[in-house]
Amino acid sequence: MTEKSKNFPLKLASVVEKTSPGSQRRSGVSPVATPQTATRNAATSHANKPASQSNPVNATQQRASAQPAPSSTPERGSPLVSDSIRKAMVARVARQGVSDAKVLAALEAIPRHLFVEPAMASQAYIDASLPIGHHQTISQPYIVARMIEVMRDNARGGVLNNVLEIGTGCGYQAAVLSLVAKEVYSIERIKPLHELAKTNLRPLRIANIRLHYGDGMLGLPQVAPFDGIILAAAGLEVPQALLEQMAIGGRLVAPVGEHKQVLQLIERTGQYDWRSSTLEECHFVPLRPGTV
Ligand code: SAH
């Protein structure tokens, strides 16, 4: 069912510039930013407290122990993709309420423009999801950061060994995750996107990402349990298999719903106990079964 990437492990330290970015990728993607409701929600979510919270997530907690992410990477010369624009993006995400220094540093270290079509590079650092083909999107920077921050807010001071992402898409969030977790597993159900993620991640030479092609709703029982699970696509409920693959003390963050979606945090508190809380509204592509 799954296929391990043959291109990993690779090292982030030796990031190289793509000479012909996107040349091996699909074409025909419209270079238009997709508005994402979470952008607006982000601006207000800290003013308006979540509707229901059994155990409020302390997202404002500063982590003094946060490690700086690897320093900036070689990039295309365009000022549109410069470090300063990415820094501005990170500052905006921080203003929207993300305060985990390690997450912000990871966001600053990963060149988001390398995960979008060259025609959209100028939009790579705006706070929006963008089309990546096959009716899917790269998630907006705020929601990527927010989900990882919530996942890290565990009883172990943010230490994460195994984490699982459902919905690799172009590979951006997996790259960010690789800077906050020891091992990152990411599953994609659309074969060309699984291949696209491999192509995008290869030059970054990240040693701790394992890409799988398969139905993420089944998880990866052979690698479980996971300290953290992030779903990048919204189902009507969180698949049972994923709940069972959480470590005790582990945290799962997922968008849930159809037209109206909310970000849900599920913590596994015991062998047979899970606790769920609702965080904020969001908008994701749908979680679908099977592979294509
Ligand atoms: N993580 C990406 C977001 C990708 S969009 C980022 O960094 O921006 C969500 C992805 O979830 C899509 O590529 C979609 O194909 C995928 N997806 C939906 N249902 C899935 C499933 N059951 N298993 C694996 N991937 C799934």
Side-chain angles (χ1 to χ4, degrees):
M1 178 199 73
T2 59
E3 176 194 310
K4 274 197 178 174
S5 165
K6 298 172 188 68
N7 303 302
F8 296 100
L10 301 166
K11 284 205 179 103
L12 181 61
S14 41
V15 171
V16 292
E17 185 173 358
K18 286 183 176 178
T19 46
S20 175
S23 57
Q24 303 157 46
R25 308 186 210 173
R26 76 279 162 214
S27 57
V29 176
S30 151
V32 177
T34 311
Q36 194 157 313
T37 53
T39 311
R40 292 192 300 276
N41 298 332
T44 54
S45 66
H46 295 273
N48 308 325
K49 287 291 168 221
S52 72
Q53 264 193 347
S54 61
N55 180 26
V57 175
N58 186 2
T60 54
Q61 184 189 338
Q62 285 288 352
R63 291 174 181 82
S65 61
Q67 300 292 315
S71 59
S72 63
T73 55
E75 299 180 294
R76 298 173 205 151
S78 164
L80 292 173
V81 294
S82 70
D83 280 357
S84 63
I85 289 181
R86 193 155 63 249
K87 278 200 173 81
M89 176 192 85
V90 174
R92 194 174 55 231
V93 169
R95 279 198 304 277
Q96 288 172 307
V98 174
S99 61
D100 184 332
K102 188 155 179 165
V103 174
L104 294 171
L107 217 58
E108 192 169 324
I110 301 299
R112 191 170 190 262
H113 63 280
L114 296 183
F115 292 84
V116 301
E117 280 285 307
M120 274 184 288
S122 66
Q123 296 179 67
Y125 295 107
I126 64 173
D127 195 30
S129 54
L130 297 167
I132 55 172
H134 305 274
H135 307 291
Q136 307 303 322
T137 56
I138 178 173
S139 301
Q140 64 170 142
Y142 163 77
I143 205 74
V144 167
R146 175 76 175 128
M147 291 175 103
I148 299 176
E149 172 177 72
V150 170
M151 182 179 69
R152 259 175 54 76
D153 195 17
N154 60 17
R156 297 162 65 197
V159 171
L160 296 165
N161 288 319
N162 276 4
V163 304
L164 175 65
E165 178 194 33
I166 310 304
T168 316
C170 60
Y172 174 68
Q173 184 159 30
V176 178
L177 281 169
S178 75
L179 298 177
V180 306
K182 207 162 155 219
E183 296 292 338
V184 178
Y185 297 84
S186 183
I187 313 176
E188 175 55 55
R189 68 181 287 275
I190 300 178
K191 185 83 182 206
L193 289 179
H194 167 71
E195 297 297 335
L196 171 70
K198 280 204 252 179
T199 302
N200 287 342
L201 287 165
R202 192 173 294 126
L204 297 177
R205 304 179 69 76
I206 299 173
N208 60 336
I209 298 180
R210 306 281 179 272
L211 298 182
H212 289 253
Y213 168 60
D215 179 359
M217 291 170 78
L218 307 173
L220 280 180
Q222 66 273 33
V223 185
F226 295 98
D227 295 329
I229 300 181
I230 284 184
L231 282 81
L236 295 181
E237 56 185 21
V238 174
Q240 184 66 28
L242 299 181
L243 298 178
E244 283 164 10
Q245 290 174 32
M246 295 170 69
I248 293 171
R251 292 162 77 87
L252 178 151
V253 188
V256 176
E258 199 171 3
H259 303 298
K260 193 169 158 44
Q261 300 173 3
V262 289
L263 207 57
Q264 212 170 67
L265 162 67
I266 298 176
E267 298 158 272
R268 187 166 191 175
T269 51
Q271 183 73 37
Y272 305 106
D273 294 306
W274 289 261
R275 182 170 52 200
S276 163
S277 27
T278 299
L279 304 177
E280 61 201 60
E281 285 184 24
C282 58
H283 184 73
F284 281 81
V285 295
L287 185 70
R288 296 201 191 283
T291 54
V292 287

